[in-house]
Amino acid sequence: MSFRDYLSEAKNIFDRLYPGNKITEIDYEGSTIIVYTKDEELFSKRDDLARQIAQELRRRIAIRPDPSIMLDEDSASKKIQELIPKDAGFQDLYFEPDTGEAVIELDEPSIVTNSDIIKEIKSQTNWSPRIVRAPPMYSRTVKEVREYLRDVKKERKEFLHNLGVKLTTPLMPGETWIRITALGGHREVGRSATLISTNNSKVLVDCGMINVNDPEQPWEEAPYLYVPEIQPFTSLDAVVLTHAHLDHSGLVPLLYKYGYEGPVYTTAPTRDLAALLQNDYVKVAHSEGHKISYESKHIREELKRTITLKYNETADITPDIRLTLYNAGHILGSAAVHLHIGEGLYNIVLSGDQKYEKTWLFNPAVNRFPRAETLMIESTYAGRDDYSYTRVEAYNTLVDVVNRTFDKHGTVLIPVFAVGRSQEVMLVLEDAYRNKLIPENTRVYLDGMIMEATAIHAAYPEYLNRELREQIMVKRANPFLSPIFHSVDTKKQRDDIIDDPDSKVILATAGMMNGGPVLEYFKALVSSENNTLAFVGYQADGTLGRRIQNGASSVTLSENGKSTKFDIKMNVENAEGFSGHSTKKQLINFIGTMQPRPQRILVNHGDGDKCYEFARLIHAKFGVETISMKNLETTRLY
């Protein structure tokens, strides 16, 4: 059916099931048919009725109150705050016009949920109140993203309408085929980008950068975005983002700079974290005088066109492809991408970066899917010499490093990614401090977006594992708010910390020492054997972190505009086991217990020969067709 046929059929079904429905408008927003009504009773029954009609029409349905019967946001905000009791601890209120909901953040939600206040709010404003517990930490990023999306809601509505029209375009006749093209992150770690093409659609999964800042390794940072398979960018139908790390998300704004105007599909935490990291990339590049690939306005264009999905939620993203995101266990909001192509024709799972183990932060990656003919899986730690360290070993090693360094009156410097590893290291240090396993005077300084990224974790507790979620939101014993943690927000604070002779722990970005504040601390601490540099995350080939980890005795860095040699006298240690990537054993277990078992497996995201070696191991163990593609290679799947 065409765009207008679907809308007409939706109206006919509503008239049959619910006469006198007072429907004022039916329109598309992306893959969802939106029904506006002045009938408050119809709106109150929206969930059951929408499900029933969606099953009949085979399209997602959402029922919203007509804007004309709803109080404007300013008046509704004032009325809601008058109705909320003071002892409920009102913290914030924001509106989601897309759903007709007023989201009310309270310290004590039960005071409102166990009363008639919700009905009163609904009757007096015609907004549907959603009561949530107020996040225990303030996130500037989350607030700014919400405010920006509110400011561009008219433009966004027009974009979603046009997308809905495009999604109902009849399929092209002719032979059906499916191909997958490696554009980056294949037989390497970094600049992840994979193109899935059919005779009707083009979908790009991830668009990252290598993010190497090393004059001795002048690599290109972008995927192969200039090849005819993906050019021009206007030929792309959709971009799907697995997670926020820059090696996967860093160059998505570049697409908008050069003509892409389509949607980005991801989870809400990934949207916010990607905006945080991308804006920081622009800020740091400007401050260090580096040439940058895009500007902040291109990040805003990305935000405007981002469509967020919850885990296990399915959406049409092209006329012949449906997308479902599943927990990947890697970082907050990370997702495995399940693509259902055609009407039951073919299914692909791209696992992205994944962790098939319950961690201090997340549940293990999901490996149960409705169907999966092809699986693409990472191989970061799947090499023959990669040893598997446990979380217990990581905990004990880090505690031992802190104690040995403090015994020498030294300082521990830990290079971290702002998202993921920072939060896990914080949890370990807080637990060790609370259990008196490290000195009671321990101070942990956090430099480089770490506290802001941590606040975003607190804003999305539903993505954390149950124990941590309850600790943060229910028990009100947020480990991230421990008194041992001190955020570094200014250069003066950083200078004072460097000048302070007392022992301390410093967590600073970037995780591979390829820029950021960690270099300032490293320069100040590197000359003393009393200090320790402790690696807790993966160090890619070509990064400063990898060179130091491999035993470099000295490095040359820029100091006051000049190249300066630094002899490495501080101790260098590895606290293995913090990684958000699966070990080789976990990857094998993921495949071995995956349901259903894929017919073909593609291996990516591994340095050097790791992809190829792991592909051979998978084939030998499971007997399935296994391929380790090189960048620029294309494999026909169907």
Side-chain angles (χ1 to χ4, degrees):
M1 288 194 291
S2 70
F3 164 75
R4 297 191 182 280
D5 290 337
Y6 276 112
L7 300 187
S8 177
E9 183 63 19
K11 182 64 166 66
N12 292 337
I13 296 173
F14 268 97
D15 289 343
R16 172 166 50 84
L17 296 178
Y18 199 93
N21 45 58
K22 297 183 181 179
I23 290 175
T24 58
E25 182 184 5
I26 301 180
D27 198 3
Y28 257 105
E29 286 190 7
S31 63
T32 303
I33 296 176
I34 308 298
V35 179
Y36 294 93
T37 177
K38 290 185 177 181
D39 190 317
E40 296 178 23
E41 186 177 352
L42 171 59
F43 179 63
S44 67
K45 299 176 179 178
R46 68 188 188 281
D47 292 338
D48 292 340
L49 191 60
R51 277 194 293 270
Q52 182 179 352
I53 296 174
Q55 289 176 354
E56 189 168 338
L57 194 61
R58 300 194 69 185
R59 277 291 185 272
R60 296 171 69 192
I61 301 287
I63 303 174
R64 299 178 190 163
D66 186 274
S68 66
I69 68 172
M70 302 167 70
L71 275 185
D72 64 88
E73 291 185 12
D74 290 338
S75 300
S77 177
K78 183 177 179 181
K79 177 61 67 177
I80 289 170
Q81 292 185 58
E82 289 174 355
L83 292 170
I84 299 293
K86 288 186 178 180
D87 55 354
F90 175 86
Q91 291 296 329
D92 200 5
L93 165 67
Y94 60 94
F95 296 92
E96 293 188 345
D98 288 358
T99 61
E101 291 182 311
V103 184
I104 306 166
E105 296 181 349
L106 306 174
D107 288 333
E108 298 296 339
S110 60
I111 293 176
V112 172
T113 55
N114 296 330
S115 70
D116 294 328
I117 297 174
I118 290 180
K119 293 181 180 178
E120 194 67 21
I121 291 173
K122 192 171 184 179
S123 66
Q124 294 196 36
T125 69
N126 276 329
W127 286 87
S128 179
R130 176 154 57 95
I131 310 300
V132 299
R133 187 177 295 279
M137 303 175 70
Y138 170 77
S139 168
R140 182 190 70 258
T141 300
V142 171
K143 187 172 183 64
E144 289 178 350
V145 167
R146 288 171 180 167
E147 290 175 348
Y148 174 72
L149 292 177
R150 182 187 64 194
D151 292 341
V152 298
K153 62 184 177 182
K154 290 184 179 179
E155 299 169 56
R156 182 172 167 82
K157 184 175 182 179
E158 181 181 358
F159 162 71
L160 291 172
H161 167 82
N162 293 335
L163 178 60
V165 174
K166 186 176 181 180
L167 289 174
T168 54
T169 302
L171 297 177
M172 292 281 291
E175 181 186 0
T176 299
W177 49 264
I178 303 166
R179 300 189 307 165
I180 189 165
T181 303
L183 298 176
H186 294 260
R187 297 206 189 184
E188 67 182 359
V189 174
R191 60 173 178 175
S192 289
T194 303
L195 182 69
I196 291 86
S197 309
T198 74
N199 53 315
N200 283 278
S201 307
K202 286 184 181 180
V203 175
L204 179 65
V205 178
D206 289 338
C207 188
M209 59 178 65
I210 283 185
N211 201 28
V212 172
N213 178 26
D214 183 350
E216 297 178 10
Q217 300 280 352
W219 297 354
E220 293 293 332
E221 68 174 13
Y224 292 91
L225 298 178
Y226 48 80
V227 296
E229 286 87 346
I230 197 173
Q231 284 290 338
F233 292 153
T234 52
S235 67
L236 282 174
D237 295 287
V239 174
V240 182
L241 187 54
T242 61
H243 66 285
H245 281 153
L246 288 178
D247 62 324
H248 292 256
S249 77
L251 291 181
V252 174
L254 183 73
L255 303 176
Y256 290 97
K257 180 178 179 179
Y258 291 105
Y260 180 61
E261 295 182 344
V264 173
Y265 294 90
T266 193
T267 63
T270 296
R271 175 197 63 194
D272 295 357
L273 288 169
L276 173 69
L277 296 178
Q278 291 163 357
N279 276 300
D280 183 71
Y281 162 71
V282 171
K283 177 183 175 183
V284 171
H286 273 305
S287 67
E288 296 181 353
H290 295 156
K291 183 180 178 181
I292 57 173
S293 305
Y294 53 82
E295 301 173 29
S296 297
K297 65 181 181 181
H298 302 117
I299 302 173
R300 292 193 292 272
E301 289 300 312
E302 175 190 352
L303 279 173
K304 188 193 305 182
R305 291 170 173 81
T306 296
I307 298 172
T308 60
L309 298 176
K310 299 176 182 177
Y311 288 149
N312 307 313
E313 181 181 0
T314 299
D316 294 317
I317 62 171
T318 76
D320 65 338
I321 298 180
R322 293 190 184 111
L323 165 69
T324 311
L325 301 178
Y326 294 90
N327 172 40
H330 176 61
I331 64 170
L332 183 71
S334 61
V337 173
H338 182 278
L339 299 176
H340 178 87
I341 300 174
E343 295 299 326
L345 180 68
Y346 203 86
N347 294 262
I348 307 169
V349 173
L350 299 96
S351 74
D353 290 358
Q354 57 120 297
K355 185 66 172 178
Y356 191 51
E357 173 193 33
K358 185 176 181 180
T359 67
W360 290 299
L361 288 169
F362 309 114
N363 290 321
V366 170
N367 69 341
R368 302 288 195 274
F369 306 98
R371 281 180 54 185
E373 281 72 48
T374 290
L375 166 69
M376 178 174 282
I377 192 167
E378 65 145 306
S379 58
T380 313
Y381 284 116
R384 66 179 68 182
D385 298 323
D386 289 332
Y387 180 79
S388 301
Y389 293 87
T390 67
R391 285 299 198 257
V392 173
E393 288 175 303
Y395 183 110
N396 292 336
T397 299
L398 187 59
V399 168
D400 180 58
V401 166
V402 171
N403 286 326
R404 284 191 286 108
T405 304
F406 277 36
D407 286 343
K408 296 187 294 185
H409 307 289
T411 289
V412 180
L413 175 61
I414 307 177
V416 287
F417 300 107
V419 180
R421 300 298 73 71
S422 295
Q423 289 71 39
E424 293 220 320
V425 173
M426 289 173 69
L427 290 176
V428 166
L429 293 173
E430 187 277 335
D431 185 84
Y433 172 80
R434 186 163 28 86
N435 289 289
K436 304 185 186 311
L437 298 178
I438 56 178
E440 61 180 3
N441 63 342
T442 297
R443 289 168 298 156
V444 180
Y445 292 100
L446 312 171
D447 198 340
M449 300 186 305
I450 295 173
M451 282 305 289
E452 176 60 23
T454 303
I456 296 175
H457 283 68
Y460 293 101
E462 66 271 25
Y463 287 84
L464 305 175
N465 65 44
R466 182 177 59 82
E467 292 79 8
L468 180 58
R469 183 170 64 245
E470 290 182 355
Q471 195 175 1
I472 289 176
M473 303 301 292
V474 180
K475 296 180 181 178
R476 315 298 284 175
N478 188 344
F480 298 125
L481 294 178
S482 169
I484 69 170
F485 297 127
H486 305 272
S487 181
V488 182
D489 303 312
T490 66
K491 184 179 185 303
K492 184 180 184 307
Q493 286 178 293
R494 185 178 303 149
D495 292 340
D496 290 343
I497 293 167
I498 288 173
D499 293 337
D500 180 9
D502 292 340
S503 296
K504 52 197 166 290
V505 179
I506 302 170
L507 274 63
T509 57
M512 298 184 192
M513 301 185 68
N514 51 339
V518 69
L519 293 182
E520 299 306 311
Y521 295 109
F522 175 73
K523 294 172 189 175
L525 299 171
V526 68
S527 62
S528 174
E529 60 185 18
N530 294 332
N531 301 323
T532 301
L533 178 67
F535 290 108
V536 296
Y538 179 77
Q539 305 298 307
D541 277 343
T543 62
L544 176 62
R546 172 64 74 89
R547 284 159 52 205
I548 296 173
Q549 192 179 52
N550 285 345
S553 59
S554 65
V555 294
T556 300
L557 301 172
S558 176
E559 178 77 351
N560 298 321
K562 298 180 180 180
S563 294
T564 305
K565 180 181 178 182
F566 291 87
D567 293 326
I568 301 175
K569 296 182 180 179
M570 68 190 306
N571 297 303
V572 177
E573 307 219 21
N574 298 298
E576 305 279 6
F578 281 99
S579 177
H581 295 274
S582 293
T583 64
K584 180 164 62 177
K585 181 179 180 181
Q586 290 164 355
L587 292 170
I588 291 295
N589 288 340
F590 179 93
I591 296 169
T593 59
M594 180 175 166
Q595 294 181 2
R597 181 72 60 83
Q599 301 166 5
R600 178 190 287 113
I601 296 177
L602 309 176
V603 179
N604 73 334
H605 204 281
D607 279 335
D609 292 332
K610 284 186 183 180
C611 292
Y612 178 71
E613 291 174 3
F614 190 50
R616 291 183 60 186
L617 175 62
I618 293 171
H619 178 71
K621 191 169 184 66
F622 299 107
V624 299
E625 179 186 358
T626 310
I627 303 171
S628 169
M629 297 170 63
K630 296 179 181 178
N631 286 331
L632 295 180
E633 287 187 342
T634 294
T635 297
R636 182 169 180 173
L637 302 179
Y638 183 89

